[in-house]
Amino acid sequence: MENGMDRVGVVGCGLMGSGIAEVSARAGLDVVVVESSTAALDAGRARLEKSLARAEAKGKIDSAAEVLERIGYVTDLGDLADRQVVVEAIVEDEGAKTELFRTLDRVVLDPQAILASNTSSIPIMKLGVVTARPQHVIGVHFFNPVPVLQLVELVPSLLTSSDTTERARAFVEGRLGKRAIDCQDRAGFVVNALLIPFVLSAIRMLESGFATAEDIDRGLVLGAAHPQGPLALADLIGLDTTKAVAESLYEEFKEPLYAAPPLLARMVDAGLLGRKTGRGFYTYE
């Protein structure tokens, strides 16, 4: 791709960050991943190595080793100085994200660099205005698992330039081979604004004793042709993330359907976050 799309930075190497780093490296781009600690970096590297080994075994890529050579791992945000696209994929917390964007504004030297957030619910405007370049800040929201799911939501704020939006589209579709949809800068964007109330209603149904988790999920899989039920999906998303998105939606719209049910809040408090902790609505090995 033309100027400005070959050097990618990814901040955060959890489920989403490692997936974004993987698809970028698989597309032939030079990737630098930043994590807050060596332990987090090691966990992210292991996740990437495992995912790429699986892709190679399935014949999806020729060489996992070749892809891994394109990924560098660091703990200093200053190492993003030469990046042309930086994607933030840290914890879904407004304070943490705004602080990160202040720092990225200072350390990323290219004045035309795209500063993107993978947030699923925080208004892009709030991230853009803490920088001196809100016209280059945009939401680029991937879906988990990133190497598998094709969708990316492009979310410009009122201050994002049309040029930034089109360059982000070229990056997502032209380089990464994803499919983009355009969204307004409203909490939840398109998919989560529809999906989260659906998941919350399933949690309320379970909480009320109306049906078991297994029967709720089986009903949607067998009766509505969903690939998985809403409670299994919540476990995959992460119950902490589900709750954070629900709270962001409720904060924005004040609609009861967006309010997190007490059961969800208690499970998050207990650390029962779904697949990533081994237990949520279901138990995992």
Side-chain angles (χ1 to χ4, degrees), residues 85-168:
V85 182
V86 177
V87 184
E88 168 273 311
I90 66 169
V91 62
E92 194 69 0
D93 176 83
E94 187 178 317
K97 287 184 191 290
T98 51
E99 187 54 41
L100 174 60
F101 272 79
R102 280 192 190 95
T103 304
L104 291 177
D105 186 34
R106 192 172 70 247
V107 302
V108 178
L109 299 180
D110 182 350
Q112 296 301 309
I114 293 174
L115 303 183
S117 176
N118 183 59
T119 180
S120 50
S121 61
I122 292 165
I124 302 305
M125 178 65 79
K126 292 188 175 183
L127 305 178
V129 295
V130 303
T131 75
R133 42 174 137 177
Q135 70 276 22
H136 297 316
V137 175
I138 187 170
V140 179
H141 181 220
F142 294 81
F143 287 79
N144 182 38
V146 179
V148 176
L149 294 186
Q150 283 295 296
L151 183 67
V152 176
E153 292 177 320
L154 289 183
V155 193
S157 82
L158 291 172
L159 298 177
T160 306
S161 71
S162 56
D163 174 66
T164 295
T165 303
E166 290 316 307
R167 287 193 297 132

Side-chain angles (χ1 to χ4, degrees), residues 13-32:
C13 200
L15 277 177
M16 296 303 296
S18 62
I20 295 163
E22 178 178 333
V23 297
S24 298
R26 281 170 65 167
L29 306 180
D30 174 68
V31 182
V32 170

